[in-house]
Amino acid sequence: MSTKPVRANDPTSDAGVARVDMKFEIVVIPVSDVDRAKEFYGRLGWRLDADYDNGKDFRVIQFTPQGSGCSIIFGKNVTPAAPGSAQGLYLIVSDIQAARKALLDRGVEITEVFHDSAGVYAGTDEPYLFGRVRVSGPDAEHRSYRSFASFSDPDGNGWLFQEITTRLPGRIDPATTTFASANDLASAFRRAEAAHGEHEKRTGQRDANWPDWYAAYMVAEQAGGELPQ
């Protein structure tokens, strides 16, 4: 995902055009062995939403990653794409080390956490959004969007974890604050706690109004707004 802020479309400029929400909800994954793929994605801990088989020439399976509004579908005669050709499928996480450990605990192979080499796009590593030279370890400054880990399903369809803790301005509706899971909420609390500790050091006194400070910090962080000091 890009880290460069861009000017958002102004919905008021199309005042005469009816707005129709378009919710991106399905990605079709090409696989060669449906049952093997079902076992793999089930092992990730994803929710199985459907497994329909007409008993002849069609089967469709749907999984949804935890906390995701988008699902994947694969099966028999659901796509003409070559098995393993789906690449660059991004899963956004708030704690990449925890997400990586969760997959390892489930017996899934995954790379070490890595970051980019200053945007080098020619190299021997597999390409991803920030380049083609992968430097071991998380981003040194722990910036949002800049730390990754990758894994593949049995056919070679390629997935990447991308760690995002603070969204760029305009990426989230500032009037809406949501957390995909209890783990995401807990991680946001920990970051707010650490930031609040620095706030108390600066002021030199205990802040009895810390709940409001935490809340303001967590909402601003998620919406990409200015963080309280």
Side-chain angles (χ1 to χ4, degrees):
M1 303 184 83
S2 171
T3 61
K4 292 184 178 180
V6 295
R7 184 176 178 272
N9 293 333
D10 182 3
T12 62
S13 63
D14 295 323
V17 179
R19 172 176 171 172
V20 179
D21 287 345
M22 301 179 186
K23 299 180 180 179
F24 185 56
E25 294 193 358
I26 296 292
V27 174
V28 180
I29 307 296
V31 304
S32 60
D33 186 320
V34 179
D35 287 318
R36 182 179 67 175
K38 180 181 179 181
E39 187 279 331
F40 175 81
Y41 286 104
R43 188 150 43 98
L44 296 182
W46 296 7
R47 186 184 72 230
L48 176 63
D49 297 321
D51 183 351
Y52 172 75
D53 188 344
N54 72 358
K56 298 177 182 179
D57 55 3
F58 178 75
R59 185 179 179 189
V60 61
I61 294 176
Q62 177 173 321
F63 277 97
T64 303
Q66 54 268 37
S68 176
C70 185
S71 304
I72 65 166
I73 276 179
F74 56 85
K76 182 180 180 181
N77 287 333
V78 297
T79 175
S85 60
Q87 300 296 321
L89 302 166
Y90 282 72
L91 295 165
I92 307 307
V93 298
S94 63
D95 185 333
I96 197 164
Q97 296 287 12
R100 179 178 179 273
K101 183 179 183 302
L103 259 61
L104 289 173
D105 289 346
R106 293 176 178 272
V108 178
E109 292 186 10
I110 182 170
T111 68
E112 296 288 340
V113 175
F114 63 88
H115 62 282
D116 69 300
S117 179
V120 177
Y121 291 93
T124 58
D125 296 336
E126 293 182 18
Y128 66 105
L129 284 175
F130 284 84
R132 193 153 185 162
V133 176
R134 302 182 175 192
V135 180
S136 181
D139 178 70
E141 299 175 32
H142 294 281
R143 293 171 293 176
S144 272
Y145 301 93
R146 305 310 286 253
S147 296
F148 304 85
S150 63
F151 65 96
S152 299
D153 72 9
D155 282 289
N157 294 300
W159 294 87
L160 293 102
F161 282 144
Q162 182 182 32
E163 185 178 74
I164 299 179
T165 56
T166 304
R167 297 277 180 175
L168 287 169
R171 299 291 176 93
I172 286 186
D173 182 352
T176 304
T177 302
T178 60
F179 294 93
S181 66
N183 181 66
D184 275 3
L185 179 57
S187 294
F189 269 120
R190 293 187 187 98
R191 293 191 298 273
E193 178 187 32
H196 187 259
E198 295 301 316
H199 164 73
E200 289 186 327
K201 287 180 183 178
R202 286 190 293 269
T203 62
Q205 60 185 7
R206 180 181 180 277
D207 178 15
N209 199 34
W210 63 266
D212 287 345
W213 198 98
Y214 272 40
Y217 184 94
M218 292 163 67
V219 169
E221 180 187 60
Q222 189 177 85
E226 183 176 354
L227 299 176
Q229 299 296 316

